[in-house]
Every structure is written in structure tokens, then in C-alpha cells.
Amino acid sequence: APMSSDHLFPTPARASLRATMHAWAQLVAPLSCAGCGAPDVSPCPACCVTLLRSVPRVVHHPVHVPVIAATAYEGPARRLVLMHKDRGRTSLATPLGAALGGAGRSVAATVDSAVPAVQLVPVPSRRMNLVRRGRSTVAELAHAACRELGNGSIVESVLRVRQPLRDQVGLTADQRQRNLAGAFVASGRAHEAARGNMPVVVVDDIVTSGATSAEAVRALEAGGYWVVGVAAVCGPRRR
């Protein structure tokens, strides 16, 4: 049988080795909190507490179902989302997903105060972003949110982009709406395999103009899904 490394490095030695490797890693590439810059840990406990203690709030957008965000797109929350999305900090999916789960729970409670199990459907990414990042960052958050809900909810990545899209950065609300009009479609095969008639919550990392949310809701409803709301980690900044 292959020899375990536990035999080569007994428990005290393994702990010492981990400490030494951590110290060297800090010298080569110092770790700091993606939210506030605090040393040695990311995210730091203070940023986690700030994120998770935020009270989900309704975001007013031209969508006919509730849109609820865990917090505002500012401060540590904004930096954590950007580090997860564009800097490859995959470990941030857990705290961000927990916050998203809280927003999803608030959406589900609008259907039933007992908070029913829901299908979490992540908004799809442009192919260019999937290639650049090597992963679907919103799907990562959806799975973390599902673990946070822990009530039999599931993740169904049934939306796909069916036409080329411009980068949304810098576009006005009207331009975003025109850019996204008819851009998404719900997978028929996945719809047939969907479990029962569970309510659907669209999930995203950031909600700004609401154009992406509205298109996701439209495509899902056209595919026969029962969409009850939209949940996001971050919504517009508080005025």
C-alpha cells in the first residue's frame, strides 16, 4: 500500500511545516483581505461580519418580480465581489454566496413565510468572460448560496446567451436594455428535467440597471418557469 505522508510527517511536524510554508508564502505573495486590506487573511472577520449582517433590501427596478440585494455595491462588499469576479479569488465565493443566500431567502419568503425550496438560476456569462475567467463566477455564488439555504433548494444553470453581447460597462440603462433584448434563452432539455414546479429565483452578483435581471426573468418565463424574484449580492449604492 502507498505510504501516507502522515507517517513521514507526524502531527506536530505537519503543523510546523504548514506554518513554515505559510510564512514563506507571505514573504513571496503577502495575503491581505480583499475587502479592507487587513493582513494575513481574506476575507477578514470584520468584512465577513459586515457582509453577513447586512439586511437584504428591495431594489426598485422595472422588473415585475421582487429584486432583493444583500447589500450595496460599495465599500468592502464591492471590493470582495470584484476580487472574486476578476482576480480569481475563488475562496470568496463562500462568504459572498452566504450573503446571496440571505437575499434568496428573502425572495422565497415573499412566496411563503416558511421559505420554500427554490431553484436558483444564475444569470449566464458572455462566452468571452467564461474563457477569460475559466469559470462561471455567478454559478459559483449560486452553489454557495444553495448551501447557505440548506432547505432542499437546487441550482439549475438553464439560461444561455444566444447572441453576441457588448460589454455592459459604460453603457446607459437604455443601452443595456437594447443590448440584452432577447439575448437569453432557457434550455428546453434542462427545463424538462427540472424538479417539479419549484419556484425560481434568478441570482446575480451585482444588480445595477436591472436590464440583465429583466431579460433573465423574461427568458425563464418564456420557457415555462415560475419565476418569483431576483436575488443579488450587491445592488445600487444607497443614496
Side-chain angles (χ1 to χ4, degrees), residues 117-119 152 154 156 190-200 223-227:
V118 296
Q119 294 181 64
I154 58 175
E156 296 280 2
H191 175 56
E192 291 170 3
R195 303 179 188 180
N197 194 29
M198 293 172 66
V200 168
Y225 287 87
W226 173 29
V227 184

Side-chain angles (χ1 to χ4, degrees), residues 30-47:
L31 178 66
S32 61
C33 175
C36 67
D40 296 338
V41 64
S42 184
C44 71
C47 284

Side-chain angles (χ1 to χ4, degrees), residues 126 128-129 132 164-171 176 179:
R126 293 190 305 151
M128 181 184 300
N129 288 337
R132 178 168 60 87
L165 293 175
R166 294 171 59 189
D167 191 336
Q168 298 274 83
V169 177
L171 299 184
R176 287 173 181 244
N179 185 43

Side-chain angles (χ1 to χ4, degrees), residues 160-193:
R160 63 179 177 84
V161 180
R162 65 178 177 183
Q163 66 189 38
L165 293 175
R166 294 171 59 189
D167 191 336
Q168 298 274 83
V169 177
L171 299 184
T172 66
D174 286 344
Q175 289 171 332
R176 287 173 181 244
Q177 186 173 6
R178 289 195 296 271
N179 185 43
L180 285 160
F184 299 162
V185 64
S187 166
R189 184 175 62 182
H191 175 56
E192 291 170 3

